[in-house]
Amino acid sequence: MRVQCASLDAMRDASLDHHLTVLIAGLRQCRMFAGLSSEDLATIAEGCRIRSLEKREVLFREGEPVDGFHVIQLGQVGIFFVTPDGREQIFSVFRAPESFAEAAMAMDRYPANAMALEYSRVILVRKAHFRDVLSRKPDLALQMLASMSLHLKELLRLLQDSRGRQVESRLAEWLLRQSPAAAAGCPAVFDLPVAKNVLASQIGVTSETLSRTFARLRKEGVIRVAGSRIYVLDGARLRAYAGATA
């Protein structure tokens, strides 16, 4: 009986060790935790858990109590508001190994909604535990602020894009950001990193409007679209649509 109990304990310990190893590996990929020692990562991982999400499963809703921020291990997560007419307006998309919702650590409730855009796995970094770690690792707080600043910069850019700019201009700029070659005015080929309905939401239009805009750019010989693959045929004209300067 004692041998059996010892064997069960060993299996449980091995499972816990594996779980911790997976968490540490996921955290290590995130820019916020770059440069941290294995010991520091293990300390943070002790206050984390992994959650799997099916496509369109909601991770948290606006107004819910904040239990922490998240690091993506696999998949994509969209941050969105619900408009007065009931539409989901996605304003940010995060992919592995990015972190998101760090700003909520200073709040009691989440200010927006988060939803998986495909099957995803995320690491929840629990609020109370991480605050305790921050009190002992002030340098980590600076890295967290840097991550939050990047997110704020992206949000401000999106707000600027949505004010008084034509749909063609918004779409062109979005496409240019997906390809350094296209941004340089050269021909390019790349796959859309998000579904077209998500892209439509990000630039603040309906899916139908996005389809018509793609069609106009295609008719003018600027791009070619084959499913989720984009062929930039005339990078210079795409830059002109975006209002880019040399």
Side-chain angles (χ1 to χ4, degrees):
M1 186 67 174
R2 289 180 180 176
V3 173
Q4 185 178 19
C5 289
S7 178
L8 289 173
D9 288 342
M11 291 175 61
R12 191 180 302 112
D13 290 343
S15 177
L16 289 173
D17 287 343
H18 175 70
H19 182 69
L20 191 63
T21 299
V22 170
L23 283 169
I24 291 172
L27 295 173
R28 193 187 301 278
Q29 297 300 314
C30 180
R31 176 165 47 187
M32 184 190 301
F33 301 117
L36 291 186
S37 67
S38 295
E39 181 181 356
D40 288 339
L41 288 172
T43 299
I44 296 170
E46 288 172 358
C48 299
R49 70 177 177 88
I50 296 174
R51 179 174 172 183
S52 296
L53 302 164
E54 297 299 325
K55 184 177 180 179
R56 292 196 59 79
E57 184 176 350
V58 173
L59 178 59
F60 55 76
R61 295 188 182 278
E62 180 180 357
E64 289 184 346
V66 173
D67 53 1
F69 70 96
H70 300 80
V71 175
I72 302 179
Q73 275 193 315
L74 175 71
Q76 299 181 349
V77 173
I79 309 299
F80 68 96
F81 291 118
V82 178
T83 64
D85 60 359
R87 291 188 301 110
E88 294 173 351
Q89 176 71 58
I90 296 174
F91 61 88
S92 289
V93 175
F94 295 98
R95 306 172 184 86
E98 293 178 309
S99 60
F100 63 94
E102 300 96 329
M105 295 287 283
M107 305 175 186
D108 293 325
R109 299 184 180 278
Y110 288 110
N113 310 277
M115 174 180 65
L117 302 179
E118 59 189 36
Y119 175 78
S120 303
R121 284 199 310 270
V122 299
I123 298 173
L124 167 65
V125 184
R126 289 192 175 92
K127 181 178 180 178
H129 179 79
F130 192 68
R131 279 184 169 181
D132 181 61
V133 173
L134 286 178
S135 69
R136 293 179 278 115
K137 297 285 182 182
D139 288 350
L140 185 55
L142 294 176
Q143 289 176 252
M144 187 174 183
L145 285 173
S147 180
M148 290 165 59
S149 296
L150 288 173
H151 297 171
L152 179 59
K153 182 179 179 181
E154 175 68 8
L155 179 58
L156 290 174
R157 184 194 58 73
L158 288 170
L159 289 173
Q160 183 181 26
D161 281 355
S162 66
R163 292 181 176 179
R165 298 187 65 188
Q166 295 294 321
V167 177
E168 290 87 353
S169 177
R170 280 180 269 164
L171 176 58
E173 184 168 330
W174 190 95
L175 292 171
L176 290 173
R177 290 200 305 273
Q178 312 311 309
S179 169
C186 302
V189 181
F190 59 89
D191 291 325
L192 293 175
V194 296
K196 288 179 182 176
N197 64 316
V198 174
L199 167 55
S201 182
Q202 281 193 280
I203 65 173
V205 300
T206 64
S207 295
E208 293 76 14
T209 298
L210 177 65
S211 295
R212 289 194 295 269
T213 307
F214 268 130
R216 280 197 292 273
L217 293 178
R218 186 171 58 244
K219 184 177 180 180
E220 294 181 16
V222 179
I223 63 172
R224 183 162 69 86
V225 182
S228 63
R229 179 154 293 180
I230 303 295
Y231 296 83
V232 177
L233 307 177
D234 192 334
R237 290 185 67 193
L238 191 63
R239 279 168 52 91
Y241 265 116
T245 57

